[in-house]
Each structure stands twice: as C-alpha cells, then as structure tokens.
Amino acid sequence: MELSIDVLVILFFVALAAGFIDAIAGGGGMLTVPALLSVGIPPAQALATNKLQSSFGSFSASWYFVRNGLVNLKQMRLAIGCTFAGSAIGAVLVQYIDASVLTSLIPILLVCISLYFLLSPNIGTGGGGTPKLSEAAFAFSVGTSIGFYDGFFGPGTGSFFTICFVVIAQLGLVEATARTKVLNFTSNIAALILFILAGLPVWKVGLIMAVGGFMGARLGAHVVISKGQRFIRPMVVIMSMGMAIKLLWQQHPQWFQLVF
C-alpha cells in the first residue's frame, strides 16, 4: 500500500516515542498499533508490521544492556529458548483459539501489577534476595508461559516479565528491566518469523518505523541505566494502568460513557 511522506514521517516519530517507552516499561504497542490502524492498514497486517518494527526496538535496548554488562546471554540461554518456543506456539494457536478469555483477564492483572509497584516503595530497589525458583524452573515456567502469551495476545508482556524477575527471581528493577527486553526481543522475533511466512508485514512502513523504534529504544535503555529504579517504577505503574484502561475501554465502552 502507498502512504504519503507526511504519514510515514508521523509513523517514524510514533515509533521513536514507542521505542523509548517500551525500553523502560513496556507498552509501546499502545502507540504503534493504533497508529498503524489509523492509516488504513488492516488489523492482521498492522499486528505483523508492529512486530517487525518492535523487534528492532527491543533488539536495540537488549544490545545496549548486554554491552553495558546488565545481561549475560549465556546465563539466559535456557530462558531465551523457552520464550522463543512459547511465543511460536502462541502465534500459531492464536489463529485457531478464541482469545476473548484473555482480553477479560489481562486488564485485571495489569491493574494488580501497577498497584503492586505503587504500594510497595522498596520493590526492586536492590535485588539480591533468594530466588523463589531455580533458573531452569524460571525459564520453563515464566519464559514459556509469557512467551506463549506474547505470541498469542501480547499487551503487557513487558510488565509481566518485569514483575516475575523482581518477585520470583529477586532481581533489582534495573536488571529485571534489562532481562525483560532480551526475552521481549526473543518473543517478538519468534512471532515475526511466523508473520513473515504468512506474508503479513507491510515492509516499507515497518522498516521506516523500525528506524524510529531502534533510536527510541536506545535512548530509553540509556535512561534505564542512568536514572535507574526511581524512573522505571513510575513508568511501569503508568504504562500498566494505561494498558488496562485501554483494554477495558475496548471491551466495555459503555462504562466510560457513564463516566464521561
């Protein structure tokens, strides 16, 4: 499809902003998916194109964290493999299974995550506690299940990974965010491969947005390292609550009509 230069420039900056937000707290798709739909790209192609551009953003943030020593890829290889497998399975099954149950449940979980971070001022400040699961058990349970969720549905994946790294793996919030981006990139790539095989991405749009997402994610990753927990925590709260409200608005617009 052909889009004007003006529209492509706008999509570039939307992706830049989304990449920045996504590197810190997740939820960049709240900006990019509606933007893609608003310019007339059909839903299936919009989701595939979003996976294309977000893969570049999550790679940019992941690589920055690896280069700065926050992530040891060798240590995470089992979690990476489980996340990839889970995402691939989810991307296949979403074509055959009704996702309506998830659409009702996820806003509740996102609200719980935001309240948990909001009401626990010391959460993720230092890490160093005793992990509640071994690394292998964490990889098979958390990596596979959240990877599956990202391939199957998606919203809030970053928040779910982060809360698991903080609460279960007992990591500090900065390290949890860094590891989250590695697994987020893994699940993005797995789903993207299947979307490419189906011929769904709009390549011109996706690659232009990928440049913006790559740049935004690089800036966001720098903020994570330089600002640390005091910046990540409010962003996780804001983005989790924002995603929950957006999903509830889509599911129950009548509730918001009563309010407004």
Side-chain angles (χ1 to χ4, degrees), residues 42-240:
Q45 290 182 287
L47 292 173
T49 305
N50 182 62
K51 279 296 182 188
L52 172 61
Q53 68 86 25
S54 64
S55 293
F56 281 78
S58 55
F59 171 78
S60 175
S62 299
W63 183 242
Y64 187 80
F65 290 136
V66 171
R67 285 177 53 213
N68 283 272
L70 270 72
V71 177
N72 183 330
L73 292 179
K74 185 176 179 181
Q75 185 180 9
M76 289 190 68
R77 63 183 182 274
L78 183 57
I80 290 170
C82 290
T83 301
F84 187 96
S87 180
I89 294 169
V92 172
L93 291 184
V94 72
Q95 303 174 53
Y96 307 102
I97 300 175
D98 185 6
S100 60
V101 175
L102 282 177
T103 62
S104 301
L105 179 62
I106 297 308
I108 299 171
L109 295 178
L110 289 170
V111 169
C112 290
I113 288 173
S114 62
L115 291 176
Y116 186 74
F117 276 99
L118 185 64
L119 301 176
S120 302
N122 296 320
I123 186 74
T125 52
T130 303
K132 295 179 171 57
L133 291 175
S134 67
E135 288 192 12
F138 185 94
F140 281 110
S141 59
V142 175
T144 304
S145 59
I146 298 181
F148 173 85
Y149 167 75
D150 193 29
F152 189 83
F153 189 54
T157 297
S159 298
F160 296 141
F161 270 131
T162 300
I163 194 74
C164 288
F165 275 122
V166 170
V167 176
I168 299 175
Q170 295 290 295
L171 299 179
L173 198 47
V174 172
E175 188 177 0
T177 301
R179 293 195 180 199
T180 288
K181 292 320 297 177
V182 171
L183 296 188
N184 220 168
F185 169 65
T186 301
S187 62
N188 281 344
I189 284 295
L192 176 60
I193 289 171
L194 292 170
F195 284 137
I196 291 174
L197 292 175
L200 290 173
V202 181
W203 286 95
K204 180 179 179 180
V205 175
L207 292 175
I208 288 172
M209 294 182 73
V211 176
F214 188 95
M215 295 168 60
R218 170 63 176 75
L219 293 172
H222 175 72
V223 168
V224 168
I225 293 177
S226 61
K227 303 295 183 182
Q229 189 264 351
R230 63 188 177 88
F231 194 86
I232 301 171
R233 186 166 159 266
M235 283 292 288
V236 171
V237 172
I238 292 169
M239 294 310 298
S240 296

